[in-house]
Amino acid sequence: MTTNLTRSEAQSRTQLLEVDSYSVHIDVSNAETDADTYLSRTVVDFSARFVDSTFIDLIADSVSSVLINGESLSPAEVFDGARVTFPVRAGRNSLTIEAQARYSTSGEGLHRFTDPADGKTYLYTQYEPTDARRVFANFDQPDLKAEFIFTVTAPAHFQVLSNRTEARTEPGDGSAGAVTHYFEPTLKQSSYITCITAGPYEGATDEWTDPRTGQTVQLGAWTRASLVDHLDADDIFGVTKAGLEFFTSEFDYPYPWGKYDQIFVPEYNLGAMENPGLVTFTDNLIFRDKVTDANYESRANVILHEMAHMWFGDLVTMKWWDDLWLKESFADFMGGLALAEATRFTDGWVTFALRRKAWAYTQDLYPTTHPIVADIPDVEAAKLNFDGITYAKGASVLKQLVAFVGREAFFAGSRLYFKRFEYGNTELADFLECLAEAAPDRDIANWASAWLGTSGVSELSLQLTTSDGSAKSSDGGAPASAVSAQGGGRGKLVTSSSGARLRSPDAVDDNFDAATGAAHEAGSGASGSVEPPRRRSGSEKITSATIAQADSAEGTALLRPHTIEIATLGRSGRSIVPLDSFRFEFSTESADVEQLIGRSAGVITLLNFNDLDYARVRLDPESTEAAVTSASRIKDPLSRALVWSALDNAVRDGLMPVQKYLTAYARSLGKESHAGIMAGLSQTALTCIDQWVADRNFDAAIMGLLGAALDALAAAKAGSDAQLHLANLVLALTSRTARCAAGSSAVAMGRGFASQVLAVPVGEEIDRMYAGAPGQSGQAGSAGQSAETSGGTRAGRGADHSTATLPFRGLINDHALRWNALTALVSLGWADQTDIARENHSDPSSSGRLRAETASAALPLPIVKIRAWEAIREAGALSNDVLSAIIAGFIAPSAMPLIEEYVDEYFDGLLGFWMDNSIEIARRLVLGLYPRWSVDEEAVVEKTDAWLAANVDAPAALRRLVIERRDDLARAIFLKSTQSSRH
């Protein structure tokens, strides 16, 4: 049996078959019982071009009958667990299959969830790329489109939805209290975007009328009963209507799928899925607790991303997963565009520039990087290609394409594409042909070859000479993937004492410029000293300027055409603002930028101003120094995000000391007001703390950052996004102080704040921070007991910290804050299972259950880790989210290396993780348990290399995941090796 459908197998079926329709009956009337399976019956009508034998996809517990053209086949002979093989005749054929399919707990197929808040059962389907076969027999490939007619028998109190509107209901056969729902036939579509949901879902309805055509679209927003009070339907419908108006106008094509239901479901593996007429979303997008505006922006972006798929992906679909980007890149770009132009999130591209593109840059630097148009030989490879390149890089490159051909030509080509290929399937060449017709004066083929058919990320640098005669380059060394397993990047490839292949920096410590982070050759200054940082005066003029491009992969000379904007940023009062900007195009290795000559150099020269390009920007040393000290003063949020992105890439590549980045980040706390930028920066800062700070510098780094976060929290505006973000940052940092060898006033205050959060009930105001905390003197205290009552002298220990006794207002406690605080105290050994049970009792929701699982597995006791590992090894008995919650607690920070013994067990179990579980569960195991937490990182790299060498025939998808985790760890080792005790 194989569940891995290959491209060649799919192509063979396409050459043989043309599918007309499916009639699918699903009976889930037993959903609320202990039954593991449900009835699935499929009748598929199709035509064959010649006499042959083929197979239909079906993963089921059992098959009870198979009929082909009225002839009965033996299920035992033709069903192997994943496929049903049968003969076909030339011309019309009809196939009927009845099976018992299995309810899923992995989020693949028909997922069943029982809400711990009220005991109610919910069902939903998720198929992409090929999990429709887990629910009903079908030819599960995107280019065999057909009409689907669904009937669903379910308990009478269930609301049942599908892609089309319900035609009628009838009493169900054979099950008392069941109802059968009959749905209208779908339009022609692929199997992976069919959908069924069933359960006591609740929600709201609305409608939207197209102002151009008068078409009325019925809208629905649905979620679990326990979450419906938090549904926020007005906001969801507002974004939905804005998106429908934007896309129908820009695409000049009416919404094609009738109704537009959006349903928020539990334990969802993705952000959302673009099933036409019934879009599914993770119910993490229903905000039970207070969140920042970044979360609302993210939800709006997801809504618009999925809506764009109604045209890009659903109406016109790729033939095979090689062209997955044809839908995901377009939806990512169009979602961002609609967000910025049709909603209140007019600066929506800011978060994209800093966070979404960081995902792409990281993915593109892995040894496993691939072109946007990737080679996808099978569906296992397709499953892993839903990555930062397919989404974020593809969207960024489309943004560059719009700059290259012009917006009008881009949309004209898109409109032609929809009309020419509606309800059909396409390849890259089809889209490029439409675009070339719309932009005949542009070399689309050459552009596509350079951008879509190649891997790696371009790096742009600028060398300037100013009126004082100085020449400064933003090229901080060779293009950087500092630790590529293929040998790319800055530094020499060396063999460690363990035999692991690592990166050693070319220049370390004494040859590091502490201001810019750039490595200099020994002896570059007097007696080998490093020149001090230089700041521009603000009155200097540029006398020469040269831009250069390089590729991130060592040894390549790939040149791409770039259409960018260049700006000089200067001071205006206390702010930094654009002084001048212009558009510039080049496709050579380097080019003179004559437009800059004679202009003011300002304080920062910014390549890729307005973020039109997909490229990592290297700031010149003087711009770097200004950014490190003054990034928060850049007035324009997008420019600020781009500057921070350059600093992020510099620290990731070892071109800026980690501690220097953390210092710059600490300066921004309390000054940064954009919620998306705050979230992006904290993510990088926590990565620095968790992975890149050398052990000898860890205490100083986290104490300094925690102190800055506490100061900023004390001064934050009451009720602001910044206050909420900083509170959660303090708790995140506090949990990591479990690794600290010594205490400090900041550490004491962070722990005291966590205790204070637990002392305040949900819905009440947390109005002050304390310097002491339960257990500070080494004795466990009761979680939730305030520092004031846990020891009269402890509060005074943090009095030297500026926030020791300062009250603050406006932070209202909620479940999320309390769980974050409790988990921090659990990691520190200051809360126990009794405290966890008490908190879970007060928050019996599904999210409360997951947080309790994490906290329980985080307890710093050997027996707890043993039990958690045993539960993890029985992953098939856990749901997807429960598994991830336990893993998160298992690897949580602790003062002692309690899980070191599981390093070897991880590598011994890798193949079993993959072979014994579905791809989604296997992925969570492989990624979540990779032992980057080990105290001997070089040994882990060595063991990883040994496993890869011994398992060259392991599934390619599994090897890819392991290689990428190895690359992350090797990068961490490299960055730690560049640090002295001074950095």
Side-chain angles (χ1 to χ4, degrees), residues 735-808:
S735 71
R736 288 159 170 82
T737 64
R739 291 175 51 196
C740 286
S744 73
S745 59
V747 170
M749 182 160 291
R751 296 171 178 181
F753 178 66
S755 184
Q756 176 66 3
V757 169
L758 288 175
V760 176
V762 169
E764 294 188 13
E765 185 179 48
I766 305 167
D767 61 358
R768 64 183 61 250
M769 291 180 285
Y770 296 96
Q776 186 172 307
S777 61
Q779 298 175 349
S782 173
Q785 182 182 12
S786 77
E788 278 188 328
T789 62
S790 65
T793 62
R794 291 177 186 154
R797 291 193 177 186
D800 59 316
H801 195 271
S802 61
T803 58
T805 58
L806 285 182
F808 67 110

Side-chain angles (χ1 to χ4, degrees), residues 36-317:
D36 294 326
T37 63
Y38 56 90
L39 174 68
S40 171
R41 183 186 303 116
T42 302
V43 179
V44 53
D45 295 321
F46 61 95
S47 298
R49 295 179 176 88
F50 46 85
V51 175
D52 204 348
S53 177
T54 189
F55 65 91
I56 195 167
D57 303 296
L58 176 64
I59 298 176
D61 261 24
S62 63
V63 171
S64 56
S65 67
V66 180
L67 288 173
I68 178 66
N69 300 320
E71 178 183 350
S72 178
L73 304 179
S74 169
E77 295 178 3
V78 299
F79 177 58
D80 67 359
R83 297 175 176 183
V84 176
T85 304
F86 56 93
V88 297
R89 64 194 181 196
R92 303 282 299 173
N93 291 261
S94 182
L95 174 69
T96 302
I97 295 178
E98 187 168 300
Q100 287 292 320
R102 177 167 288 271
Y103 289 110
S104 168
T105 57
S106 69
E108 302 154 300
L110 181 62
H111 187 88
R112 178 168 60 177
F113 170 82
T114 300
D115 193 339
D118 54 20
K120 294 180 179 179
T121 297
Y122 296 88
L123 306 173
Y124 65 86
T125 59
Q126 170 56 36
Y127 297 151
E128 191 175 37
T130 55
D131 284 322
R133 56 187 172 159
R134 295 181 183 274
V135 178
F136 63 96
N138 67 96
F139 302 107
D140 214 353
Q141 60 190 74
D143 63 340
L144 288 178
K145 288 187 170 183
E147 172 187 272
F148 293 83
I149 305 170
F150 288 104
T151 63
V152 180
T153 300
H157 62 281
F158 274 24
Q159 181 201 60
V160 181
L161 299 173
S162 189
N163 301 88
R164 299 291 277 180
T165 56
E166 188 177 83
R168 70 183 193 280
T169 61
E170 294 178 358
D173 294 331
S175 179
V179 171
T180 299
H181 303 254
Y182 295 81
F183 292 93
E184 298 285 354
T186 70
L187 302 179
K188 194 175 182 182
Q189 65 177 74
S190 301
S191 57
Y192 77 91
I193 49 175
T194 59
C195 185
I196 295 167
T197 65
Y201 290 101
E202 298 182 21
T205 59
D206 203 339
E207 64 181 29
W208 171 79
T209 301
D210 189 330
R212 300 181 310 130
T213 66
Q215 173 195 16
T216 295
V217 178
Q218 299 299 318
L219 310 178
W222 314 97
T223 193
R224 288 180 279 146
S226 64
L227 286 178
V228 72
D229 289 344
H230 308 285
L231 180 60
D232 197 10
D234 288 344
D235 183 73
I236 292 169
F237 287 142
V239 173
T240 303
K241 293 175 184 180
L244 286 169
E245 187 156 345
F246 179 85
F247 289 128
T248 54
S249 175
E250 293 291 341
F251 296 158
D252 191 28
Y253 197 111
Y255 173 70
W257 303 105
K259 69 182 179 70
Y260 200 82
D261 280 315
Q262 297 174 99
I263 188 164
F264 297 81
V265 298
E267 296 189 323
Y268 202 54
N269 291 328
L270 309 175
M273 184 64 206
E274 66 269 18
N275 315 302
L278 181 56
V279 183
T280 43
F281 297 83
T282 172
D283 63 15
N284 291 332
L285 294 175
I286 303 300
F287 306 131
R288 187 181 63 137
D289 297 304
K290 184 179 179 181
V291 296
T292 70
D293 211 38
N295 297 86
Y296 287 97
E297 178 190 294
S298 177
R299 182 172 70 185
N301 185 272
V302 174
I303 289 172
L304 295 169
H305 174 113
E306 302 310 321
M307 188 179 293
H309 275 312
M310 299 300 117
W311 293 265
F312 280 112
D314 292 359
L315 180 65
V316 184
T317 312

Side-chain angles (χ1 to χ4, degrees), residues 165 204 346 447 463 550 606 630 691 734 858 900 979:
T165 56
T346 55
W447 182 93
Q463 181 166 317
L606 182 58
S630 307
Q691 301 180 38
T734 298
E900 198 65 26
Q979 299 168 43

Side-chain angles (χ1 to χ4, degrees), residues 638-658:
L638 181 55
S639 297
R640 200 161 67 246
L642 293 171
V643 167
W644 276 114
S645 176
L647 298 183
D648 286 358
N649 286 319
V651 71
R652 179 178 293 276
D653 293 336
L655 301 179
M656 170 180 286
V658 174

Side-chain angles (χ1 to χ4, degrees), residues 577-903:
V577 299
L579 301 177
D580 215 345
S581 67
F582 57 90
R583 184 164 291 202
F584 185 80
E585 295 188 8
F586 78 111
S587 58
T588 54
E589 185 174 359
S590 63
D592 292 334
V593 187
E594 296 180 359
Q595 295 95 319
L596 277 175
I597 297 174
R599 299 176 188 242
S600 170
V603 295
I604 296 175
T605 308
L606 182 58
L607 297 176
N608 199 26
F609 180 67
N610 282 329
D611 198 32
L612 301 180
D613 201 2
Y614 175 72
R616 302 202 310 165
V617 169
R618 299 296 190 200
L619 297 176
D620 64 83
E622 290 144 332
S623 295
T624 297
E625 176 61 17
V628 166
T629 59
S630 307
S632 296
R633 293 187 178 183
I634 300 173
K635 188 174 182 179
D636 171 47
L638 181 55
S639 297
R640 200 161 67 246
L642 293 171
V643 167
W644 276 114
S645 176
L647 298 183
D648 286 358
N649 286 319
V651 71
R652 179 178 293 276
D653 293 336
L655 301 179
M656 170 180 286
V658 174
Q659 190 59 43
K660 184 176 183 64
Y661 178 88
L662 290 176
T663 300
Y665 171 63
R667 286 192 182 108
S668 77
L669 294 175
K671 299 174 184 176
E672 181 55 63
S673 59
H674 192 283
I677 295 178
M678 286 190 287
L681 297 184
S682 65
Q683 184 176 16
T684 301
L686 291 175
T687 299
C688 288
I689 293 292
D690 291 340
Q691 301 180 38
W692 299 342
V693 171
D695 290 344
R696 60 183 175 274
N697 298 329
F698 179 82
D699 283 18
I702 197 164
M703 288 175 189
L705 190 54
L706 180 54
L710 285 161
D711 284 334
L713 175 58
K717 181 181 177 181
S720 65
D721 278 356
Q723 185 186 53
L724 179 60
H725 173 80
L726 288 164
N728 282 306
L729 176 63
V730 165
L731 295 172
L733 292 170
T734 298
S735 71
R736 288 159 170 82
T737 64
R739 291 175 51 196
C740 286
S744 73
S745 59
V747 170
M749 182 160 291
R751 296 171 178 181
F753 178 66
S755 184
Q756 176 66 3
V757 169
L758 288 175
V760 176
V762 169
E764 294 188 13
E765 185 179 48
I766 305 167
D767 61 358
R768 64 183 61 250
M769 291 180 285
Y770 296 96
Q776 186 172 307
S777 61
Q779 298 175 349
S782 173
Q785 182 182 12
S786 77
E788 278 188 328
T789 62
S790 65
T793 62
R794 291 177 186 154
R797 291 193 177 186
D800 59 316
H801 195 271
S802 61
T803 58
T805 58
L806 285 182
F808 67 110
R809 305 301 298 246
L811 183 62
I812 306 301
N813 210 358
D814 58 29
H815 290 296
L817 282 169
R818 288 182 60 86
W819 278 114
N820 288 341
L822 179 58
T823 304
L825 294 179
V826 165
S827 297
L828 296 167
W830 293 349
D832 58 22
Q833 192 63 54
T834 301
D835 300 305
I836 297 168
R838 183 186 304 117
E839 193 67 24
N840 196 193
H841 179 76
S842 67
D843 179 19
S845 66
S846 58
S847 59
R849 180 185 68 172
L850 294 176
R851 298 301 297 268
E853 293 281 5
T854 296
S856 296
L859 285 163
L861 298 170
I863 186 61
V864 169
K865 301 304 180 182
I866 292 171
R867 290 170 179 166
W869 182 258
E870 290 174 349
I872 290 167
R873 289 302 302 264
E874 299 297 326
L878 304 173
S879 74
N880 48 0
D881 281 1
V882 170
L883 173 63
S884 291
I886 295 173
I887 291 174
F890 178 76
I891 66 173
S894 64
M896 300 292 290
L898 298 175
I899 56 176
E900 198 65 26
E901 65 185 272
Y902 299 100
V903 172

